[in-house]
Amino acid sequence: MPANVESMFSVRQMPWHREGTILEDYPGDWDEARKLACLDWNPVTSDVYAVSGMNADGTAAYEPVTGWKAITRSDTDAVLSINKDTYTVIDHGEMGEIVEAVLAQPNVRWETAGVLDGGRSVWCLALLDEPVELPGDISVTLPYLAITNRHDGTAACALRATAVRIVCANTFRAAELEGERTGATFSFIHKSSWRNRIEEARQAVTGAPRAEVRRYKELAAELLLIPVNSRQRELFVTEFIPMPPAGLVTDRVARNVEESRSALRLIFESKTTRDIAHTAYGLVQASGEYLDHVRTARSWETRLNRTLIRPEPLKHRALSLIREIAAV
């Protein structure tokens, strides 16, 4: 699937597709961010016309279609969609207002923003300055708040807490799917009353994720206090990636199992887990990194399903196995 990016900016990090403007620092405000992302046009409405007959000179005669309107780009007049006349546009200036109102802070860190598919989809992504810090773990988790807006009539303007850094059509869709799975999404239906739902949106996208983060921090703090020696760590590796019974395993399968085990062992020495490798939390982190980023996937869709859309049963198994091994 192509990136499908018309324009965008990204702070400090070059996207995989190597398109867009790369900034050294965050835009000063949403007006600046809009311009950098080339979102300084807006979706606007216009009448929809249909042929009603012929004029005396032989040319087609047109008349407005009652009950419908077109959504077009204010800069190019390109038609983005046809919708019923109850459809209310949420424009690009209002997208920034929604994020600022929900976060209740003026200095939003705009991480990325851009235009996809000729303007039919647009997004902006704010960095939530609420890092999850755990004792003994030098890394931090920085979640995002995204607002995605589809002008093609296929979806609402949606606000969601996400761990996905949106930079293309793939990650745009991944953030949507993650929001559906976690429930940390609030949709502003394209109707005139959308402004009355800001407080409801705040509770939906910040309250639930913060409660989930608290539970995660409590579990992580508990696991960080459980020491794991080299013998226990190796036992975890061999139990987590088991070898099929003797007599039922081919040389090729045995070789693949050993390669997978070696890949997991290398993660313990990587910078992401090195400082916590001898704790139960380190085993959790390493197993998650292996499952999400190292384990072979047949396709991008397979990896997306594993990491974002469906619960991964092997992650639950990893936690249960870690508790068993820590007690040995």
Side-chain angles (χ1 to χ4, degrees), residues 128 130-134 137 139-143 163 213 216 281 285:
L128 294 181
E130 298 179 5
V132 178
E133 298 179 354
L134 299 166
D137 184 0
S139 63
V140 295
T141 299
L142 292 172
V213 166
Y216 172 76
Y281 181 66
Q285 291 293 91

Side-chain angles (χ1 to χ4, degrees), residues 1 170 291-292 295-307 310:
M1 184 176 183
N170 286 345
L291 292 172
D292 288 348
R295 181 177 48 157
T296 302
R298 292 183 178 179
S299 65
W300 179 86
E301 288 81 4
T302 300
R303 192 175 299 280
L304 177 65
N305 282 331
R306 287 176 181 172
T307 56
R310 292 195 293 265

Side-chain angles (χ1 to χ4, degrees), residues 205-269:
V205 301
T206 62
R210 282 171 177 156
E212 184 175 342
V213 166
R214 283 196 299 272
R215 291 192 295 270
Y216 172 76
K217 289 178 71 173
E218 290 170 0
L219 174 63
E222 173 196 346
L223 296 175
L224 278 164
L225 295 176
I226 301 175
V228 172
N229 58 37
S230 297
R231 179 185 60 81
Q232 291 170 314
R233 193 170 75 179
E234 183 59 23
L235 179 60
F236 171 76
V237 171
T238 56
E239 291 290 328
F240 186 62
I241 307 176
M243 184 71 72
L248 299 178
V249 58
T250 65
D251 291 343
R252 179 180 178 182
V253 170
R255 186 167 56 253
N256 289 341
V257 169
E258 287 301 335
E259 288 176 356
S260 296
R261 288 174 173 178
S262 296
L264 179 54
R265 293 184 188 106
L266 284 175
I267 295 174
F268 292 123
E269 307 304 323

Side-chain angles (χ1 to χ4, degrees), residues 82-304:
I82 306 294
N83 294 280
K84 291 186 176 181
D85 57 9
T86 55
Y87 182 98
T88 299
V89 167
I90 298 177
D91 67 32
H92 302 156
E94 291 165 337
M95 286 170 59
E97 291 175 20
I98 289 172
V99 174
E100 290 173 345
V102 167
L103 291 180
Q105 61 186 58
N107 300 317
V108 175
R109 293 187 177 185
W110 299 107
E111 180 80 5
T112 70
V115 180
L116 301 169
D117 193 21
R120 293 175 181 83
S121 301
V122 298
W123 88 90
C124 58
L125 186 74
L127 179 66
L128 294 181
D129 195 13
E130 298 179 5
V132 178
E133 298 179 354
L134 299 166
D137 184 0
I138 62 172
S139 63
V140 295
T141 299
L142 292 172
Y144 300 106
L145 185 69
I147 187 164
T148 55
N149 203 355
R150 289 186 179 268
H151 301 316
D152 59 4
T154 62
C157 176
L159 188 70
R160 57 179 54 86
T162 180
V164 178
R165 191 174 190 271
I166 303 175
V167 295
C168 63
N170 286 345
T171 47
F172 184 102
R173 183 58 180 147
E176 288 184 322
L177 293 169
E178 182 199 34
E180 291 173 9
R181 179 177 64 83
T182 62
T185 294
F186 187 87
S187 295
F188 290 92
I189 306 300
H190 288 273
K191 294 186 179 295
S192 58
S193 60
W194 68 264
R195 288 184 182 275
N196 300 329
R197 307 187 69 200
I198 292 293
E199 181 56 35
E200 192 179 348
R202 181 182 295 116
Q203 294 302 317
V205 301
T206 62
R210 282 171 177 156
E212 184 175 342
V213 166
R214 283 196 299 272
R215 291 192 295 270
Y216 172 76
K217 289 178 71 173
E218 290 170 0
L219 174 63
E222 173 196 346
L223 296 175
L224 278 164
L225 295 176
I226 301 175
V228 172
N229 58 37
S230 297
R231 179 185 60 81
Q232 291 170 314
R233 193 170 75 179
E234 183 59 23
L235 179 60
F236 171 76
V237 171
T238 56
E239 291 290 328
F240 186 62
I241 307 176
M243 184 71 72
L248 299 178
V249 58
T250 65
D251 291 343
R252 179 180 178 182
V253 170
R255 186 167 56 253
N256 289 341
V257 169
E258 287 301 335
E259 288 176 356
S260 296
R261 288 174 173 178
S262 296
L264 179 54
R265 293 184 188 106
L266 284 175
I267 295 174
F268 292 123
E269 307 304 323
S270 69
K271 65 179 181 180
T272 55
T273 56
R274 185 170 52 229
D275 295 319
I276 54 173
H278 289 284
T279 68
Y281 181 66
L283 298 187
V284 169
Q285 291 293 91
S287 60
E289 186 171 336
Y290 168 80
L291 292 172
D292 288 348
H293 303 294
V294 177
R295 181 177 48 157
T296 302
R298 292 183 178 179
S299 65
W300 179 86
E301 288 81 4
T302 300
R303 192 175 299 280
L304 177 65

